[in-house]
Structure formats: structure tokens, C-alpha cells
Amino acid sequence: MKIIIIGGVAGGATAAARLRRIDEKSEIIMVERGEYVSFANCGLPYHIGGIISDRERLLVSDPKSFKEKFNVDVRIRTEAQSIDRKNRTVTMKNLNTGEEYIEKYDKLLLSPGAAPLRLNLPGIDNENVFTLRNMKDMDTIISWLGNHEVNRAVVVGGGFIGLEMVENLRHRGLDVSLVELADQVMINMDYDMAAMIHTELTDNGITLHLNNSLVSIEKKARETVVSLKDGTQLETDMVIMSAGVKPETTLAQNAGLELGNRGIKVNEYLCTNDENIYAVGDAVEIENQLLGVKMGVPLAGPANRQGRIVADNMVKGNVKKYEGAIGTSIAKIFDLTAASTGLNEKTLKRNDMQYIKSFVIRSDHAGYYPGAVPITIKLLFSPEGKIYGAQAAGLNGVDKRMDVLAAAIKMGLTVEQLEELELSYAPPYGSAKDPVNIAGYVANNIIKGDMKVVQWDEIDGLGDEYLLLDVREKEEVELGTINKPNMLHIPLGSVRERIGEIDKSKIIVIFCQVGQRGYYAYNILKQNGFNVRNLSGGYKVYNCATKKIENPKAIKTVGEKTRPNCFFNTDNISVLDATGLQCPGPIMETYKKMNSLERGEILEIKATDPGFKKDIVKWAEKTGNRVLDVRQEKGLITAKIQKGTDEIQIEEKSVNTGDNKTIVVFSGDLDKALASFVIANGAAAMGKKVTMFFTFWGLNVLRRSDTVHIQKTFMEKMFGKMMPRGAGKLKLSKMNMMGMGTKMIKGVMKDKNIDPLEKMMKSAMENGVKLIACQMSMDMMGIKEEELIPGVEIGGVATYLADAEDSNVNLFI
């Protein structure tokens, strides 16, 4: 039998090796149009970043070794031009010589892979615009970096390759911006989990432009300008296009093979509609094992498994079925590991499937053993307990847990059976109750009704019938809480003695940092007759999913110390080991240790809780201490704090001592809006934190100028038509003269070189001014969030008042 394989790398090369192991006599020819028949394409970004230093390590095999080991005739730089199914021949072309010839086959395997999507935009063919799919692409990028002065890069696309390129370009010291069409990176995960990746990226100096898209790339004399849909222009020295891939189906289509929506159609044996032609890898559509629908899975793991199965079927005659895939994947983003398996929330909603979600945050190994770090696990399951999907993120141990959960889903285990899994345990590697077991306990408690939960995305919609109860310690609350008018703080240890302070007529929503203490308080109140809920994942998940992305204002080289301009004596430094402790552990231990030091002494704290890096800075500011140094390396956070007071006290604020500024913008008049932003920009330029709260007519300042097609009631539509759409349509409060006054003042501003209102607003947001739209006013006036300009937060009076408490100037305009 003569077998021809078109395409190497994962699927084709695996099939060739398997074919020879089970059939010594067949003639096997494998053609590859590239220069390399089998290489580690997943490792390409890491060679660009210098993590994998030896280029040759990426080459899995070559024609010579394939011939020696497997007696496979490998022909590189050879392209399959066409397939004659009737005569069972393939027309080949030698790309080096241009020679064309015909080869007969008995069985044919298509493994052409997928090609990067190349957007049809101005400038897309510029010499400094690259894609990364093979060794040649990698070499081209490295050559450009080595032969040009490259300080800035724009990566388009926040998928696996995009994120890997972002990290590795940053490792080379470049200032990197990431542009992503969706509102999150890694769309295989849900937003609440991807938010952890956003934080990791910005913490490492990456500037994010989410919910945005590329419009054009313009090459100028010394630089390239990338223009985005929202009007942002990025100066850069190179662009990496990683906007996704499309299956290579041209050859199959021209041969009359049946195609699906996501690639070449194959049956359960990976055979096409021609019994002599099979197909594997990125070019085929396969079945989603959980949904029973077709999907594309451009991953090496499934391609390798398909290659092995198809080899058996080509030789032995369709003896082995490919069951499909559930989509298990993992990625490294700087120090963070993020992984997913099965279905996410978006898919479940799209398919109208009933589901429940839960969050668990536990250490990767025993907390008392040094170096323990938290893992966040999100579980999605049916009301009956069938596991639909899982996502996880953390610094260590994520891969182990995700592999267990992927196996559980593949084998059809329920959440109750997760409780019974017997997983390896020793203090350096795990806990007696592994995070996977805990995920099963929590999910099963929800199903059985032992714990009712509220999710982070339901908090803002809770009405007056609910009371939020924060059961964390006051030190934790000081670092941040859920700012709602109906919020009460009682630490867990005081709940029983202060139970009379809790309104029994309300539905009590309890939250702590990660959900565990909330569950303890839940049981106390439930057994005392209260109607209670627990916030799944606690404040940590809520805060991560709802906080605004803070892009870095100044770029530093990766690994560079965050070090202020100061010198300190290192002869007498006390050391606190808070590794393995979860929030609030590191802060509480810091608080106790600092109280034992003298004024001016220095404390070095080592911690592994990811939130500690920001918490310690905020805590030091609030307690009158001085941050000397904060750094993070491979998950270990080291902070040096100099004691500035005799005794550390954290008390509730009774008087306003802040130096920030807050402005309530009630008016929608042009002159008053101008005055508001002149003051805001002036305060921001002086280094002050500024919050602007837009209510009633002031909301018109924040409206987008273009029409947004969304569902509205008749009254909401009438309001919208009567009000000005955005800053460019505002009128003067006096001397408007049917629009003449407005035109005159804009003309005067232009002559005097005064920025228009739209530019002032953009400058304000770039300088860190927080713009908040009043939710109540939006509801009354029929203004939807989609109608507001990007970057505006939605909040209520409590959100504004929280910032006002830290302000010494509060203006009403």
C-alpha cells in the first residue's frame, strides 16, 4: 500500500511514525511545503524571548532521521498542488526547482494545518508587520529585532500566541501594547477569570487596549503609527498579528471534499467523504464531546491523538473512533498560569443550558510549608451535578488540578465524585483536602441547598431587601470593601456576640476574602433563623472582576525593581516570612511585627499571596509607614517597609484628611462641562486623585456621538432624542443664541489654542481621572451603558461618597 501524507508537524508527523510502527511494508511519503517537517511550534515565542536559547531544540525531527528511524520518504519544500480523487493521484511541486510531478496513492492523509488570519487593512503588508506560525516566521522576527532599533511593539490578538509574544517581547525589554477585539484576553475563559490575567499583564508593564480593534498601520519616516477603532494612535517599531487562525481547506475544497463551517468534514474515524482520504489537525472540524456539535480545535494535543488514531484506521480499516475533544488548554503569562477545560459560561448561555457556578480559592500545597500560593478554581456544573467545565489561575499547581478536572469531565464524573478523588498529598505538593476536593465540596453544598450563594456579577443589582455583611478583619476592610449603602462590617469572631445588630428582616449576603469565613458565618446566622447567602469566591473574585484595568503609566524593564529615590541602612533589617499565608495573613503579621519595632527600623516581608504586592503599599500609606522597596520574582513578593510611627493603629475614619478632589457634574452645558474638566485636569497634573460623578443632565457629557442600536422603551427613546448626544453637541448655558454662541466659543477656543472638550476629556482619563456615571440617573433618563464613551465606570452614590471621604475639595457644577 502507498500512503501519502500532506503536511507534517503534529498530526502528519505523528501519523507517519505510527504508520510505520504498525505496518513495515507500506510505502509512506510525507510532503511539507515548509523547510521543517516536525518542529515545536508552541515553543517559537520562547526562542524569540530568549527563554529557549538553542534554536535546534525546537526541531523535533528532520527528513534524515525520519528516513533512518521510520523509513518514511520526507520531502520538504514540496507543495501539493491538486488531488485527482478518481485516479487517486496528487500533483506535487518542488518549490526549490519549480518541477511538477504526479504521485499515485492508495490512502491519502491531509494535515495542512491552519494559517494566521491576515486582516485586509491599510499597512498590513509593511515590512515590520509579522505573523508567527512556523520557523521561518520566527527567524524573520528575530532578524528584525537584531538588525533594527526596536523599543516598542504592538501585538494584535490576546489568544495563546498573542499572550506568549507579549511576554517574550517584554522579556527582551520592549514597551508592549496588546490590542484585543473582545473585552478580555483568552476568550476560552470567562471574564472573571481572565481579569486575573489582565492584572498580571499590567503589573508587568503591558498596556491593554481591550474591546478595541486595528484600523490601519501607517509607516512614517522613523516610526510606525497603529490606529485603533476608538481613535487611539500607538507609535511602534513593529507589529505582531495574532488575531486567530483559519483552517487550510483550499486543497480539500478543490478536490471536492465536503467542508463544514469550521474545516474539513470528517466522520468518527477521521475519514472524509472519500473513503480513501483522511484528515487530521487544525484543518478539520471535530465534535465537541460535551455539546455534540462541530468545532475547530487548533491545539497540538488533539492533533497528535488524531494522528495516532488515523494511522490505525488507514491500515487496519476504521477500527478506532475519535471521540472528540473537550478543549483543554493552559498558558503561562509571566508568573501566572491560566488553564481551562470543557465549556465556559459564554458557551453555556449561548446553548441555553442551565448551570451553576462556584469559586474556590485554596493554596497549591499545605499552608504551613513554605511557598504556598493560592489557586482560584471556577467550576461550572448542572443542577444535577454534571461537570460542564472548569477554569483555574494561580502561580503554581494549576496544571495538576486542571488535568484532574479534565480527566473527570472526560470520564463523566459528577461534582460529588470530586469529593471522593484520592489525590497525592505531602506538604510540599498538596493538602490533605486538595483544591479539587474542596471544589467538589463547595459545588455539592450548593446543589444540596446546604449553602445558597450570590455571584459577583449579581451584587450591583441587589435591592434594599438585601444587607451586605463583611465578616473580614478591620485591617482587610481598610484595604478595600464592597462600597454599598446597605453594608455592615462585623468580623467573624464577633458575629455571635453582635448578632443583634443584624437586621433579620433582610436577606443577608455574607462575604469574606475568599468565601471560607463567609461560609462559617453563613452557618451561624442560618441556624439563628436568618435568611442568608454567601458570596462565591468572596471579595477577591468580586474585586478582581469589577475593578477597572489600570494600564502602566511608566514602562520598566521586566524584573526591574520598583524602587523609590531613597537610601536606607540595611545593617538592621528585621525579616518576616509570610509565605504560604493567604490574605489577610501577610498584612496581619506585618501589622503585629511592625508594632514591635522602633521608629525608623526596617521590616522585610516575604509573601506569596498575589494581592500582597498592592496591599502592602496601600496599608503603609494608611498607617504612616514608608515603602522602601517592593519586588516580585517567580511568585515571591519581597517588600521593605520603614516604620514611621511609634505604634501602628488602624481606626475607622471620622474626619476627612485626604488630599484628593471630587466633582459632581450635574449640568450638561458646554461651559460648565469645560470648567469641570479644566479643574479636573489641573488637579490631576498636580498629582491629585480626581473623581468626577456625572448625574442627570451631566450624563450627556459622557454620551457617545455615534448611534448605538440597543433595545429601549418608548419613553427612553424620547428622552434620548431630546438630549444632546455627547460632548460635541453640548450648548452654552447663556448666550447660546440658537447655536451661534456655541460656535463662537468653539472658534475662540481654537484661536487661543485651547483644547476642545473632547480632547480635555481624553486627557483627563489618560491622567487617571475617574469618570463615574450615576446608575440611578441613567435608569431614570433611559441611558444605557453601551451609549457611554469607553472608560466610564458605572456606580451609585456610595461609589462617589467613598472617594469623597478621601477628598478635601468637593465641587458641585
Side-chain angles (χ1 to χ4, degrees):
M1 184 164 63
K2 184 175 180 179
I3 300 171
I4 295 178
I5 301 171
I6 299 175
V9 195
T14 298
R18 175 67 178 171
L19 280 166
R20 181 56 73 215
R21 289 197 298 272
I22 60 176
D23 180 7
E24 182 61 28
K25 298 188 183 288
S26 287
E27 180 184 358
I28 304 171
I29 299 172
M30 181 163 56
V31 297
E32 168 61 49
R33 65 185 172 192
E35 295 181 15
Y36 304 96
V37 66
S38 183
F39 60 91
N41 49 4
C42 296
L44 302 180
Y46 298 102
H47 182 55
I48 293 172
I51 305 300
I52 300 173
S53 57
D54 186 356
R55 181 182 183 277
E56 299 305 307
R57 293 177 68 88
L58 298 173
L59 301 176
V60 179
S61 189
D62 57 31
K64 182 181 178 183
S65 64
F66 252 102
K67 183 66 176 175
E68 292 174 349
K69 292 179 182 177
F70 305 112
N71 192 24
V72 173
D73 179 4
V74 177
R75 303 174 187 177
I76 59 173
R77 297 286 293 151
T78 300
E79 185 172 46
Q81 300 284 293
S82 62
I83 301 169
D84 182 345
R85 291 168 51 197
K86 182 179 179 181
N87 295 307
R88 281 194 257 174
T89 62
V90 179
T91 300
M92 308 283 194
K93 182 178 181 180
N94 185 317
L95 298 179
N96 289 327
T97 65
E99 175 196 0
E100 289 192 3
Y101 58 94
I102 294 175
E103 288 281 2
K104 289 188 67 68
Y105 68 85
D106 295 303
K107 297 291 182 182
L108 178 65
L109 174 61
L110 301 180
S111 180
L117 286 174
R118 196 159 181 87
L119 306 178
N120 185 21
L121 295 173
I124 201 71
D125 294 320
N126 288 351
E127 62 177 350
N128 61 343
V129 179
F130 308 94
T131 57
L132 180 63
R133 188 65 180 169
N134 52 42
M135 296 286 286
K136 183 180 178 181
D137 293 339
M138 179 191 74
D139 291 339
T140 303
I141 292 171
I142 292 174
S143 176
W144 181 267
L145 288 165
N147 296 320
H148 298 80
E149 185 179 345
V150 181
N151 298 308
R152 301 159 299 181
V154 172
V155 177
V156 180
F160 293 103
I161 296 296
L163 291 175
E164 289 168 359
M165 281 305 303
V166 159
E167 177 180 353
N168 283 283
L169 290 173
R170 191 78 184 96
H171 274 301
R172 291 186 68 118
L174 274 64
D175 177 351
V176 185
S177 297
L178 176 64
V179 180
E180 168 56 50
L181 181 63
D183 63 351
Q184 65 170 85
V185 300
M186 280 189 75
I187 58 173
N188 55 301
M189 303 186 79
D190 292 315
Y191 183 88
D192 40 34
M193 296 299 291
M196 298 176 66
I197 305 174
H198 299 162
T199 299
E200 183 71 11
L201 289 167
T202 55
D203 281 353
N204 281 279
I206 306 302
T207 302
L208 298 180
H209 298 275
L210 303 178
N211 212 12
N212 216 332
S213 60
L214 191 64
V215 174
S216 67
I217 305 170
E218 184 181 0
K219 188 80 166 67
K220 295 187 176 180
R222 297 177 60 87
E223 61 194 18
T224 296
V225 176
V226 173
S227 297
L228 306 184
K229 186 178 180 181
D230 69 352
T232 300
Q233 291 192 320
L234 304 173
E235 295 180 352
T236 187
D237 302 308
M238 67 184 301
V239 178
I240 304 291
M241 297 298 302
S242 182
V245 296
K246 60 178 180 180
E248 290 270 22
T249 58
T250 304
L251 188 65
Q253 185 176 15
N254 292 341
L257 296 177
E258 192 174 353
L259 303 182
N261 293 325
R262 300 182 181 276
I264 303 169
K265 257 191 176 180
V266 293
N267 63 17
E268 57 198 352
Y269 300 105
L270 299 169
C271 187
T272 67
N273 58 305
D274 185 319
E275 63 179 358
N276 296 307
I277 302 177
Y278 292 76
V280 297
D282 297 357
V284 305
E285 65 170 20
I286 59 175
E287 185 167 293
N288 182 308
Q289 199 173 346
L290 296 168
L291 290 175
V293 299
K294 297 297 181 180
M295 66 176 183
V297 183
L299 296 172
N304 273 286
R305 285 188 288 278
Q306 292 163 26
R308 181 181 174 86
I309 290 171
V310 82
D312 285 24
N313 292 336
M314 293 174 80
V315 172
K316 301 176 182 179
N318 292 349
V319 294
K320 195 168 185 180
K321 295 180 180 180
Y322 180 66
E323 296 180 351
I326 61 175
T328 304
S329 60
I330 191 167
K332 173 186 176 295
I333 306 98
F334 294 98
D335 287 339
L336 188 73
T337 300
S340 68
T341 187
L343 308 178
N344 56 30
E345 275 198 80
K346 296 184 284 284
T347 303
L348 290 167
K349 289 176 180 177
R350 193 163 56 244
N351 288 275
D352 295 323
M353 298 172 68
Q354 280 193 314
Y355 69 93
I356 302 170
K357 62 182 174 184
S358 65
F359 295 89
V360 164
I361 303 173
R362 289 294 186 275
S363 294
D364 69 313
H365 62 251
Y368 55 83
Y369 188 88
V373 292
I375 297 175
T376 301
I377 296 177
K378 178 179 183 179
L379 205 61
L380 299 163
F381 49 96
S382 74
E384 297 75 35
K386 178 181 178 179
I387 308 170
Y388 287 140
Q391 298 161 46
L395 300 180
N396 294 321
V398 171
D399 51 346
K400 170 184 173 181
R401 275 71 189 196
M402 192 51 57
D403 287 345
V404 171
L405 289 165
I409 294 173
K410 192 82 173 174
M411 303 308 295
L413 301 187
T414 65
V415 294
E416 187 172 8
Q417 288 171 311
L418 291 183
E419 298 181 16
E420 305 302 324
L421 290 179
E422 186 176 341
L423 304 174
S424 58
Y425 161 59
Y429 304 108
S431 299
K433 289 185 289 187
D434 192 84
V436 172
N437 299 131
I438 300 294
Y441 296 147
V442 172
N444 205 27
N445 279 342
I446 295 172
I447 289 174
K448 293 187 298 184
D450 292 342
M451 181 176 68
K452 295 180 180 179
V453 295
V454 164
Q455 302 295 341
W456 67 268
D457 50 1
E458 297 174 319
I459 291 293
D460 289 345
L462 299 180
D464 293 338
E465 69 273 23
Y466 289 87
L467 173 68
L468 291 173
L469 178 61
D470 189 339
V471 297
R472 298 174 300 156
E473 300 302 316
K474 63 180 180 179
E475 291 82 3
E476 296 173 86
V477 177
E478 189 72 16
L479 294 173
T481 188
I482 301 175
N483 290 309
K484 301 290 180 184
N486 54 339
M487 203 278 285
L488 179 65
H489 170 228
I490 301 177
L492 174 62
S494 303
V495 167
R496 289 182 178 88
E497 62 188 65
R498 296 175 57 185
I499 202 166
E501 300 176 29
I502 305 172
D503 189 347
K504 210 166 189 176
S505 67
K506 303 281 188 181
I507 302 172
I508 313 301
V509 177
I510 305 168
F511 69 94
C512 64
Q513 192 69 10
V514 300
Q516 186 173 14
R517 285 172 290 168
Y519 179 54
Y520 299 155
Y522 177 98
N523 286 306
I524 295 171
L525 295 183
K526 180 182 178 181
Q527 293 178 51
N528 279 277
F530 287 83
N531 188 355
V532 284
R533 309 284 188 275
N534 191 23
L535 176 60
S536 186
Y539 177 73
K540 190 168 185 177
V541 168
Y542 172 86
N543 183 52
C544 185
T546 59
K547 71 179 179 181
K548 183 180 178 181
I549 293 173
E550 298 178 0
N551 277 322
K553 293 183 179 178
I555 302 299
K556 299 183 291 294
T557 302
V558 168
E560 180 182 340
K561 282 79 174 175
T562 306
R563 191 185 296 273
N565 295 322
C566 62
F567 298 92
F568 51 89
N569 182 7
T570 59
D571 293 337
N572 186 21
I573 297 180
S574 299
V575 177
L576 171 64
D577 184 1
T579 57
L581 298 179
Q582 308 307 313
C583 185
I587 288 293
M588 297 298 295
E589 293 301 313
T590 300
Y591 163 73
K592 289 188 287 186
K593 185 69 175 179
M594 288 291 275
N595 270 333
S596 68
L597 301 183
E598 300 293 330
R599 183 194 293 252
E601 290 187 333
I602 296 168
L603 176 64
E604 180 181 270
I605 312 110
K606 297 182 182 296
T608 48
D609 176 40
F612 181 73
K613 186 177 179 181
K614 290 184 178 179
D615 285 352
I616 189 62
V617 175
K618 193 171 182 180
W619 179 86
E621 289 174 353
K622 289 181 175 293
T623 54
N625 296 287
R626 186 181 182 192
V627 178
L628 301 176
D629 186 27
V630 179
R631 72 185 74 175
Q632 182 174 345
E633 185 175 356
K634 294 183 178 179
L636 178 66
I637 300 161
T638 304
K640 287 188 175 71
I641 310 295
Q642 188 173 39
K643 185 168 181 178
T645 56
D646 291 325
E647 186 173 359
I648 309 302
Q649 297 290 340
I650 299 179
E651 302 292 346
E652 296 294 330
K653 292 182 180 178
S654 57
V655 294
N656 180 16
T657 59
D659 191 27
N660 302 330
K661 318 298 173 189
T662 48
I663 304 173
V664 179
V665 183
F666 179 83
S667 172
D669 296 325
L670 175 60
D671 45 335
K672 295 174 183 176
L674 284 168
S676 302
F677 278 96
V678 167
I679 296 169
N681 279 322
M686 296 172 65
K688 311 301 181 186
K689 291 184 179 179
V690 183
T691 298
M692 302 180 73
F693 186 71
F694 294 80
T695 184
F696 286 95
W697 314 116
L699 289 171
N700 292 315
V701 180
L702 303 180
R703 294 182 72 191
R704 291 171 52 169
S705 58
D706 56 326
T707 303
V708 180
H709 298 287
I710 50 178
Q711 194 70 29
K712 282 192 172 188
T713 65
F714 174 76
M715 191 62 69
E716 288 173 340
K717 290 179 181 178
M718 291 298 294
F719 260 113
K721 289 180 179 180
M722 291 188 290
M723 294 186 298
R725 186 183 289 125
K729 300 291 185 181
L730 302 182
K731 300 176 181 178
L732 292 175
S733 61
K734 300 188 183 297
M735 297 177 61
N736 187 53
M737 298 181 293
M738 300 183 67
M740 282 298 296
T742 303
K743 290 182 179 179
M744 289 171 63
I745 196 68
K746 288 184 178 180
V748 170
M749 290 172 67
K750 186 175 182 181
D751 292 341
K752 299 292 185 182
N753 201 27
I754 299 172
D755 288 339
L757 177 57
E758 295 91 332
K759 191 170 182 179
M760 287 189 187
M761 294 170 67
K762 184 178 180 181
S763 297
M765 287 190 281
E766 288 175 350
N767 290 326
V769 175
K770 186 192 296 184
L771 308 185
I772 301 176
C774 175
Q775 181 69 69
M776 182 271 290
S777 299
M778 289 173 63
D779 293 340
M780 290 184 64
M781 302 176 74
I783 296 176
K784 306 297 184 183
E785 184 176 354
E786 294 85 349
E787 296 179 88
L788 303 181
I789 60 175
V792 175
E793 298 181 32
I794 311 297
V797 176
T799 305
Y800 156 72
L801 289 176
D803 288 344
E805 287 181 1
D806 290 328
S807 301
N808 60 3
V809 171
N810 187 28
L811 303 177
F812 186 91
I813 299 178

